[in-house]
Amino acid sequence: MTQTSSISIIGAGLVGSLLALGLAKKGYRVHVFESRPDLRKNDISAGKSINLALANRGIRALEQQGIFDQVKPLLIEMKGRMVHLTDQQAQFQTYGINEHEVIYSISRGGLNALLLDEAEKLPNVTLNFNHRVTGVDLDNKQLSFKDEQQQNHLFDRVIGTDGANSVLREAIAEHSQTPTQVTIDTLSHGYKELAILPDSNGKHQIEVNALHIWPRQDFMLIALPNLDGSFTLTLFLAKTGETSFEQLTSNEQIMTFFKQQFPDVYPLIDSLARDFNENPTGNLATVRCQQWHYQDIALLLGDAAHAIVPFHGQGMNCGFEDCYDLLNQIPPAGAESNWLEIFSNTQTLRKPNANAIADMALENYIEMRASVAEPTFLRQKEIARQLQSWFPEHFTPRYAMVMFGELPYAQAQRIGETHKALLRKIDDWQQQGNTLTQADGQRFLREFGLMS
Ligand SMILES: Cc1cc2nc3c(=O)[nH]c(=O)nc-3n(C[C@H](O)[C@H](O)[C@H](O)COP(=O)(O)OP(=O)(O)OC[C@H]3O[C@@H](n4cnc5c(N)ncnc54)[C@H](O)[C@@H]3O)c2cc1C
């Protein structure tokens, strides 16, 4: 049995800030080291995407800390996907059949700032900005910093929420016996952010309560609303090849590409060529890591343990769920605790789920950029909707399980595989001229073991 009352955190992004708050509320002394300046005082990007989708798992973790009410004013409800087809028609596809089945667009910077404010209110949290950790000595429990003027920090325990290029992950890997400790699969597609500004009255120029998608088979454009009336657009496109970022170098190529591919939104995009040239092309990767902890002294959470591609809108939500599960296991400071058990349970509990959402996120790219516009997808979505409304206890579509439920991701993935086979079978059966009745639905659910 070991005890500690001081925990150090590397990285004050979304996950690190929430974790700092949760640990401090339990009475631990929390030292946070963040490489960037304080985003509340400096006009810097909050990193990665400007806004992102918050869903149930993330909300549950915010509620656990009693701060969801403060977050609410930052939210814009997105009730479904507005799919913009090549013929310029738009189709609205609701996310679920129930009113609560919605997701929310939120500013990354706004949420990060709120979490930092809440953490900083507690006297037992110290936030150290401009502290880039460059060395983690796990044997001597010591952090060192890029700026050599900054004194090394001795820690009792350290948690790495330092994102996809985690230094703590590297240190744990060095101490690991397993040769294939970490795999990083970089996607051949990258992303670039653009904007639709508000209209002259400060209002959104396209439907506000939707996540907009322009699916174009091999690439896609999406748009999420912001509170100031603007939208952040993100183009996901191959980095090299025939239709790719490398082909879009001149202003003329950029304008022609957007005019041809996205004629409805093209006139609304602010300073298209300038932003396209000036904004960076971001990389996307899946990071899988075998060892999430080192003995009872170090643990990885969030993207540091499991960066995933953003196509299920779950990276932050999954990181927040990591915090939720970890904090549920940690007793109040001063109480007896077995940190080895806590850290190894966290790895056992979270790793299969992180792997599952990583797979589902990759799959969802194909759904978003291609399937959403295909008749088979739409027919099967309708069958799923029908089954869910007839048998809500026995059938919840995988998307709803992931976005609106609490079932572990790995279970949602497993059940989702059964659903795929079931929906294919019913669809084929209907294509032969049959019409699905409730009794047929029950028979099919039984056949696939989803109902006894
Ligand atoms: C384009 C895009 C869209 C996305 N959309 C969504 C979405 O809609 N919904 C969703 O849930 N997720 C989304 N995600 C994923 C989400 O952004 C991440 O999962 C989330 O940011 C992870 O948070 P984190 O705190 O673990 O890591 P990060 O956000 O990467 O934060 C890590 C922090 O650690 C700091 N740091 C790094 N190295 C060091 C160091 N050596 N020393 C000190 N500090 C350090 C960094 O400065 C940063 O502040 C998206 C990602 C991308 C790229």
Side-chain angles (χ1 to χ4, degrees):
M1 296 289 181
T2 54
Q3 285 191 15
T4 189
S5 56
S6 159
I7 300 179
S8 301
I9 295 177
I10 310 175
L14 295 167
V15 175
S17 308
L18 179 66
L19 185 65
L21 174 64
L23 289 170
K25 281 194 163 181
K26 285 187 179 277
Y28 293 90
R29 182 95 196 80
V30 183
H31 301 276
V32 184
F33 298 96
E34 165 58 48
S35 56
R36 295 176 305 166
D38 187 344
L39 58 78
R40 297 166 299 173
K41 298 179 186 144
N42 297 271
D43 189 16
I44 55 166
S45 138
K48 295 179 178 162
S49 58
I50 288 168
N51 55 17
L52 68 183
L54 175 69
N56 186 55
R57 291 167 203 268
I59 292 172
R60 190 165 61 136
L62 295 167
E63 281 171 344
Q64 184 190 44
Q65 296 314 317
I67 54 163
F68 186 52
D69 280 346
Q70 287 95 300
V71 173
K72 279 181 187 165
L74 303 181
L75 302 178
I76 299 179
E77 195 174 83
M78 297 186 290
K79 296 177 179 167
R81 295 167 172 156
M82 186 69 82
V83 178
H84 299 262
L85 303 168
T86 40
D87 62 4
Q88 299 198 47
Q89 297 295 311
Q91 256 175 19
F92 185 68
Q93 301 174 3
T94 54
Y95 281 129
I97 61 166
N98 301 308
E99 222 169 83
H100 71 272
E101 293 181 330
V102 297
I103 56 177
Y104 299 93
S105 177
I106 187 166
S107 145
R108 181 186 294 270
L111 178 58
N112 207 154
L114 186 149
L115 293 171
L116 289 169
D117 282 346
E118 291 300 317
E120 206 169 42
K121 278 182 195 162
L122 302 176
N124 45 335
V125 175
T126 315
L127 300 175
N128 302 282
F129 294 99
N130 300 304
H131 276 67
R132 175 171 290 282
V133 175
T134 47
V136 184
D137 181 343
L138 290 172
D139 298 321
N140 297 304
K141 298 187 178 180
Q142 186 165 241
L143 302 180
S144 51
F145 303 96
K146 184 175 179 204
D147 179 349
E148 288 169 7
Q149 309 289 333
Q150 290 167 344
Q151 220 182 8
N152 288 359
H153 170 77
L154 290 171
F155 60 82
D156 293 324
R157 272 160 239 294
V158 63
I159 301 186
T161 51
D162 48 341
N165 301 312
S166 169
V167 286
L168 182 60
R169 192 178 65 224
E170 241 172 71
I172 293 177
E174 273 167 24
H175 277 68
S176 159
Q177 310 301 322
T178 328
T180 52
Q181 232 290 302
V182 179
T183 57
I184 301 178
D185 296 314
T186 305
L187 207 66
S188 57
H189 289 210
Y191 71 95
K192 192 178 286 284
E193 288 188 313
L194 300 163
I196 302 176
L197 295 185
D199 68 13
S200 52
N201 298 314
K203 297 271 187 290
H204 293 94
Q205 298 203 55
I206 53 177
E207 168 59 45
V208 58
N209 294 119
L211 189 156
H212 294 260
I213 311 180
W214 289 261
R216 296 296 181 261
Q217 284 290 327
D218 295 327
F219 56 92
M220 68 177 181
L221 183 70
I222 67 166
L224 269 74
N226 297 310
L227 286 176
D228 66 358
S230 69
F231 276 85
T232 302
L233 288 165
T234 312
L235 174 67
F236 294 95
L237 177 69
K239 286 184 274 191
T240 57
E242 204 179 317
T243 309
S244 69
F245 280 112
E246 77 170 356
Q247 300 299 326
L248 300 177
T249 49
S250 72
N251 287 357
E252 199 193 328
Q253 284 166 330
I254 296 163
M255 305 300 260
T256 307
F257 174 75
F258 274 81
K259 218 185 274 183
Q260 282 174 353
Q261 297 296 339
F262 314 113
D264 53 342
V265 75
Y266 164 78
L268 306 179
I269 304 177
D270 179 53
S271 313
L272 171 59
R274 188 205 62 196
D275 281 5
F276 198 94
N277 288 318
E278 286 180 5
N279 295 350
T281 305
N283 284 315
L284 300 165
T286 304
V287 176
R288 293 178 208 257
C289 172
Q290 285 184 21
Q291 192 60 33
W292 286 32
H293 74 101
Y294 176 68
Q295 299 175 354
D296 60 351
I297 61 168
L299 177 71
L300 300 170
L301 284 194
D303 274 20
H306 53 70
I308 63 176
V309 294
F311 306 113
H312 222 306
Q314 281 291 310
M316 166 193 66
N317 288 288
C318 179
F320 280 6
E321 197 177 56
D322 292 346
C323 295
Y324 179 90
D325 283 342
L326 174 68
L327 290 165
N328 269 344
Q329 295 179 67
I330 295 181
E336 199 163 273
S337 45
N338 183 337
W339 287 91
L340 182 58
E341 198 173 282
I342 292 170
F343 285 1
S344 89
N345 281 350
T346 300
Q347 173 176 316
T348 307
L349 183 66
R350 298 302 303 159
K351 201 167 70 163
N353 291 314
N355 285 335
I357 189 60
D359 294 340
M360 291 190 282
L362 283 162
E363 245 180 64
N364 226 43
Y365 189 25
I366 298 165
E367 176 166 324
M368 286 179 85
R369 67 178 152 86
S371 314
V372 288
E374 287 167 4
T376 317
F377 172 85
L378 295 171
R379 285 198 309 270
Q380 293 189 8
K381 195 169 158 60
E382 191 43 45
I383 297 167
R385 188 182 296 272
Q386 187 62 75
L387 290 175
Q388 188 185 11
S389 67
W390 281 334
F391 311 106
E393 302 287 306
H394 302 278
F395 189 94
T396 304
R398 187 180 89 176
Y399 185 85
M401 286 190 277
V402 170
M403 301 304 278
F404 315 125
E406 293 173 4
L407 203 65
Y409 291 119
Q411 248 172 286
Q413 185 186 33
R414 262 194 313 275
I415 298 170
E417 288 305 307
T418 307
H419 285 183
K420 271 189 214 163
L422 167 73
L423 295 174
R424 256 198 313 268
K425 179 150 188 184
I426 299 180
D427 186 33
D428 288 347
W429 180 78
Q430 285 196 324
Q431 290 301 102
Q432 289 159 17
N434 299 299
T435 306
L436 189 72
T437 64
Q438 195 162 351
D440 295 322
Q442 193 170 38
R443 177 169 55 80
F444 278 117
L445 288 185
R446 288 208 170 109
E447 186 185 326
F448 281 79
L450 295 167
M451 203 182 212
S452 49

